[in-house]
Amino acid sequence: MKNITRKWIVGLKRRPQNIPLLFLIVSCMVYTFNLTIHSDTSMYVNSQIIAFYVFLITVFSILAIFSFTNVFARRQKFKKLWMSTAILLILAQIVFNILFIQILHYETAVREHHIVITEQLRFLADSGNNAFLHVILLGVTLLLIIFMPVYHKLLLKIDTGIEDDEMANIDGDVIDIASEDI
């Protein structure tokens, strides 16, 4: 078990970008696994642009993963361009999710003849909650990307050396082979 943990930490030392990549993948999975709820919401709500937001968030979620992996590809010349593209895609997802939540709130609570959320329309509330969760996950991912140099330095300070039991038992006696008689 110790060896598995040590190998995992060594892998993170070499590739700290795997942490934000994992969060990007999880946030994409959270959104796409709930895509049915979001599309049902976009069909039921009176606003037509909400379906466009769902489409853009889905596409940007997948593109953000590919953009972020291209930042760390070998022999890549445009690393800063790919990083800025990945960050812009994440920020765009956050903005479109917030707009989605605002429209959903307007349609279910503010409008004069608003939609009353009943048991059959529970997916409307679930869609808003999932969009809010997606915003939180994207925010954490963005912070992980921004602070990657900081926690990379902290990861490098973790000692992952292997102790050799035979070397630990030596009393410090030095044997001089050259002075012994043959």
Side-chain angles (χ1 to χ4, degrees), residues 54-108:
V54 170
F55 172 73
L56 286 178
I57 293 168
T58 306
V59 170
F60 288 173
S61 182
I62 295 167
L63 288 177
I65 294 171
F66 290 118
S67 299
F68 189 74
T69 54
N70 277 335
V71 172
F72 302 101
R74 295 180 196 256
R75 298 186 194 113
Q76 184 56 256
K77 294 181 181 180
F78 305 108
K79 291 182 186 267
K80 290 182 182 179
L81 178 68
W82 283 113
M83 181 61 87
S84 61
T85 303
I87 290 173
L88 284 175
L89 287 170
I90 293 170
L91 289 173
Q93 289 179 71
I94 291 172
V95 168
F96 289 136
N97 268 311
I98 291 171
L99 291 173
F100 177 85
I101 293 168
Q102 284 179 344
I103 291 172
L104 190 61
H105 175 71
Y106 174 77
E107 292 289 329
T108 58

Side-chain angles (χ1 to χ4, degrees), residues 31 34-58 100-101 103-104 107-108 115 121 123-128:
Y31 195 79
N34 294 307
L35 196 56
T36 304
I37 296 170
H38 296 302
S39 62
D40 289 345
T41 301
S42 66
M43 290 174 51
Y44 197 82
V45 173
N46 197 14
S47 179
Q48 294 177 355
I49 196 149
I50 201 166
F52 186 61
Y53 291 158
V54 170
F55 172 73
L56 286 178
I57 293 168
T58 306
F100 177 85
I101 293 168
I103 291 172
L104 190 61
E107 292 289 329
T108 58
I115 302 169
L121 300 178
F123 63 89
L124 294 171
D126 291 342
S127 178

Side-chain angles (χ1 to χ4, degrees), residues 147-171:
F147 291 114
M148 192 174 359
V150 174
Y151 64 80
H152 179 62
K153 287 181 183 178
L154 293 174
L155 283 171
L156 290 176
K157 290 184 180 184
I158 298 174
D159 183 28
T160 54
I162 300 174
E163 271 190 36
D164 191 10
D165 292 336
E166 293 177 5
M167 293 301 289
N169 292 335
I170 294 178
D171 294 335

